[in-house]
Amino acid sequence: RAKADPVRHVCFYEVGMDEKIRARRLLAADLRRALEYNELSLHYQVQTVIATGEITGYEALLRWEHPQLGPIGPTEFIPIAEENGLILPIGEWVLRTACAEATTWEQPYKVAVNLSAVQFVHADLPRIVTEVLVQTGLSPERLELELTESAIFVDRERALHMLRQIKGLGVSVALDDFGTGYSSLDTLRAFPFDKIKIDRSFFSSTAANPQTTAIIQAVLALGKTFGIPVLAEGIETYDQLSMLSAEGCEEAQGFLLGRPAALADIVSTGQIVLTNPYSREPGAGSREKLPHQSH
Ligand code: C2E
Ligand code: MG
Ligand code: MG
Ligand code: MG
């Protein structure tokens, strides 16, 4: 069909590209203002020990409520923020907000924060993490930074140096989305990760699948070899959870265990109890639902 009408085909293609670039530019401009207009917030998703159901931590997931377009997902706007450097102030805001919010939790659960490769290669990262820990008073062992292998890919030597500096602060580091991208066995050998997160794409089919089981077994064997516990992401069904349990996977995260939600909603369902709900900023939570208050 393209051959029959090459001109129209080419025009259509170019207009499409143009629109995309235009949309990205507009979004980048809006994103620039999103921080100062309080349009960004964090959702939290629970991470649990499979054998006991015990909560170990919560992953902070960035949300953007665009004033006209409504909610925009991080997979859409984070690449834009990475392109224009905005990921640095945004990432610092995420880190500071997640650490500050975690200090209000009564239980010392970990808080897991995603780091962009752009943040990870930035020389300032150890200083920023130190500063945030001091300012918020969160103890370093409660902070876990999540990295993907794209952060290591650019310059392994430098990445290893950065990882050691970060770990030297007492913070733990998880390897996110394992099994996608540039995953290599050498990364696990050479880099002192505290956790491997198996990418949720391996669980995309909800039916029992011998291939998925084989992949899980392989990753768990790697984890054992290198002494790194494994967390499975994107767990949506009991079948998946019982398979993981049978295979000896340590931790799980996914809609089955808890959907990402605003802290206020997690508090109102009793998953998290705050040490002092009144210390939180006004408007941040649905206070009328806190357990100690009469309805
Ligand atoms: P991720 O770090 O691998 O986060 C897990 C993603 O899987 C989240 O998507 C979460 O909502 C989704 N998820 C969790 N459980 C399930 C499940 O059972 N089923 C399905 N279908 N999905 C599940 P989300 O929140 O859209 O975030 C997507 C990605 O955006 C994250 O992947 C992470 O790479 C990035 N991201 C999110 N927040 C931040 C941030 O603050 N900074 C940076 N640099 N990246 C972030
Ligand atoms: Mg993550
Ligand atoms: Mg992941
Ligand atoms: Mg991901």
Side-chain angles (χ1 to χ4, degrees), residues 44-115:
Y44 292 92
Q45 187 179 32
V46 71
Q47 303 177 323
T48 60
V49 175
I50 293 174
T52 61
E54 170 200 359
I55 294 172
T56 58
Y58 285 84
E59 179 175 3
L61 294 160
L62 186 55
R63 297 292 178 259
W64 180 18
E65 182 70 28
H66 189 285
Q68 282 88 39
L69 302 172
I72 301 178
T75 48
E76 215 172 314
F77 69 82
I78 283 178
I80 297 174
E82 286 174 331
E83 255 170 40
N84 58 25
L86 271 176
I87 193 65
L88 293 175
I90 289 175
E92 188 172 337
W93 178 88
V94 169
L95 185 69
R96 182 167 277 112
T97 305
C99 290
E101 294 195 325
T103 62
T104 68
W105 307 346
E106 197 173 81
Q107 297 295 318
Y109 302 128
K110 282 195 172 187
V111 63
V113 175
N114 291 286
L115 279 192

